[in-house]
Amino acid sequence: MQLFSTFESNGFLEMAISTLEKKGIPKENIFAVPLDNRKEERKIFDTLHRSDGTSLIDIGMGIATAFSVIGASIGFKLAWGPIYWGLISAFAGFIVGFAIRLVMELFIKKKKRVLKGKHAEIILIVECDLSQAESVENILWSHFALRVAKLK
């Protein structure tokens, strides 16, 4: 039976490995694989096949609504009328909101996108007998494994 678990890179992983060795699991049956951090910078614009859950148009839509109401109200006194001025001011509000959100994503939230300072996780693979599986799983959980999976 194989048990897969993920750990943060800290002392609890070392303690889990030493505890497993004390319980009779040989070193040859314990395999640790470190995961790499992202090397390239994250993309700002989403594609059809990838989305990061961040919307760039949310502030633009809100400001476009507010600007269109104000533009339509003022448009009654202007030459082109309320419909044209409402559409023009909605477009201008959307551009302003989109620019605000784009500046926030590019400069203010850049540290969040790059993930600097985050340590990669480590996958620990333990091969053991079926009778040892329960105790190995308890050892992994007690040493703060992030996730554990069993494979027969």
Side-chain angles (χ1 to χ4, degrees), residues 41-147:
E41 193 169 324
R42 290 187 173 187
K43 308 276 192 257
I44 292 178
F45 294 104
D46 297 337
T47 64
L48 182 64
H49 303 289
R50 183 198 58 82
S51 175
D52 60 357
T54 303
S55 174
L56 293 176
I57 65 169
D58 54 351
I59 295 176
M61 289 297 189
I63 294 178
T65 303
F67 276 33
S68 67
V69 170
I70 294 169
S73 299
I74 294 173
F76 280 106
K77 297 179 182 177
L78 299 175
W80 287 354
I83 295 175
Y84 284 123
W85 283 108
L87 290 173
I88 291 169
S89 58
F91 181 73
F94 179 78
I95 296 300
V96 167
F98 183 78
I100 289 171
R101 185 64 168 189
L102 193 60
V103 166
M104 284 175 49
E105 289 294 320
L106 284 176
F107 300 113
I108 297 173
K109 294 185 179 179
K110 185 174 186 176
K111 293 177 187 170
K112 179 181 164 186
R113 279 194 332 270
V114 174
L115 292 176
K116 289 184 181 174
K118 295 260 183 180
H119 299 289
E121 294 178 353
I122 296 173
I123 298 175
L124 185 68
I125 304 170
V126 180
E127 192 166 330
C128 63
D129 295 330
L130 190 60
S131 60
Q132 296 174 316
E134 189 69 31
S135 66
V136 169
E137 185 179 7
N138 289 335
I139 290 170
L140 295 174
W141 282 122
S142 66
H143 287 87
F144 303 107
L146 299 176
R147 290 169 181 78

